[in-house]
Amino acid sequence: RKEVEQDPGPFNVPEGATVAFNCTYSNSASQSFFWYRQDCRKEPKLLMSVYSSGNEDGRFTAQLNRASQYISLLIRDSKLSDSATYLCVVNAGAGSYQLTFGKGTKLSVIP
Amino acid sequence: DADVTQTPRNRITKTGKRIMLECSQTKGHDRMYWYRQDPGLGLRLIYYSFDVKDINKGEISDGYSVSRQAQAKFSLSLESAIPNQTALYFCATSDSAGGVPDTQYFGPGTRLTVL
């Protein structure tokens, strides 16, 4: 069964801290990987795609390890506005346009 | 203006009633999706459509039906609502033009309560 597993948290960190989230996926045929952000009672929004070589967008860095079927998200210099739930998302298999969503990791950044 | 809109945003109904949730998009995307989100269960796919003539069941389609009236419109119906269909419902769109699974863009959600 296709699964995306995440630590639900919550992660409570002070402003300015660095925090890392991990995610594992079970379908070795998955080829597209994303991190989405979801604020309370709002729609999920794309934070960043995850590429094989790893990629960075400002304070956010994503890594992919295909051999271990593992994805990570690193947030540096946490801001209060980073408080949200972070969803790990993979496509359902080779060429599939269906996305499988993890249940999310909740982050609270504390003043 | 939002690219993906959903109506209604909130709805309270009674067991056995027929309910329709509507989704419209101005992104020009060909692919549309309906999800439900329950606390602790994450997002689950109900139905998806790759074009007007292509409708597919998702993970949890029982008790639901859909209609793709046009490329920009995709509606979800609950023929006879039951309390365990109380959830937050999201519509999403994506574009197949790139030829690879791509980002999905979500509407603001419909909060449905079935009493």
Side-chain angles (χ1 to χ4, degrees), chain B:
Chain B
D1 289 338
D3 295 319
V4 185
T5 57
Q6 292 183 233
T7 55
R9 295 293 311 280
N10 290 282
R11 181 73 184 268
I12 300 173
T13 191
K14 294 182 179 179
T15 297
K17 294 291 188 181
R18 184 178 187 274
I19 297 296
M20 179 180 287
L21 309 183
E22 298 187 353
C23 176
S24 294
Q25 52 115 346
T26 58
K27 299 186 75 67
H29 288 172
D30 52 346
R31 296 166 187 252
M32 298 186 75
Y33 311 80
W34 274 105
Y35 293 89
R36 66 178 278 176
Q37 187 173 36
D38 300 271
L41 293 180
L43 279 156
R44 293 182 292 168
L45 182 63
I46 305 172
Y47 269 95
Y48 60 102
S49 170
F50 285 174
D51 65 40
V52 175
K53 296 180 180 179
D54 187 321
I55 304 289
N56 303 280
K57 292 183 177 181
E59 181 185 353
I60 52 162
S61 59
D62 287 350
Y64 301 95
S65 62
V66 291
S67 174
R68 186 83 182 265
Q69 301 95 324
Q71 186 184 37
K73 295 184 182 296
F74 192 36
S75 61
L76 176 72
S77 293
L78 288 67
E79 296 301 326
S80 179
I82 55 176
N84 76 2
Q85 291 178 312
T86 293
L88 183 56
Y89 290 84
F90 288 107
C91 174
T93 74
S94 70
D95 186 5
S96 66
V100 295
D102 204 350
T103 308
Q104 290 185 13
Y105 297 87
F106 285 80
T110 295
R111 187 165 297 279
L112 177 66
T113 302
V114 183
L115 301 176

Side-chain angles (χ1 to χ4, degrees), chain A residues 1-2 31-32 34 36 38 41-46 49 87 91 93 95-99 101-103, chain B residues 31 33 35 37 40-43 45 48 50 59 90 95-96 99-104 106-108 111:
Chain A
R1 175 178 172 79
K2 57 183 188 294
Q31 59 190 165
S32 297
F34 310 92
Y36 276 70
Q38 185 174 24
R41 296 174 179 262
K42 298 289 184 67
E43 73 271 26
K45 294 183 178 179
L46 178 70
S49 299
L87 308 177
N91 79 310
S96 174
Y97 281 81
Q98 293 183 59
L99 297 181
F101 289 77
K103 297 176 183 178
Chain B
R31 296 166 187 252
Y33 311 80
Y35 293 89
Q37 187 173 36
L41 293 180
L43 279 156
L45 182 63
Y48 60 102
F50 285 174
E59 181 185 353
F90 288 107
D95 186 5
S96 66
V100 295
D102 204 350
T103 308
Q104 290 185 13
F106 285 80
R111 187 165 297 279

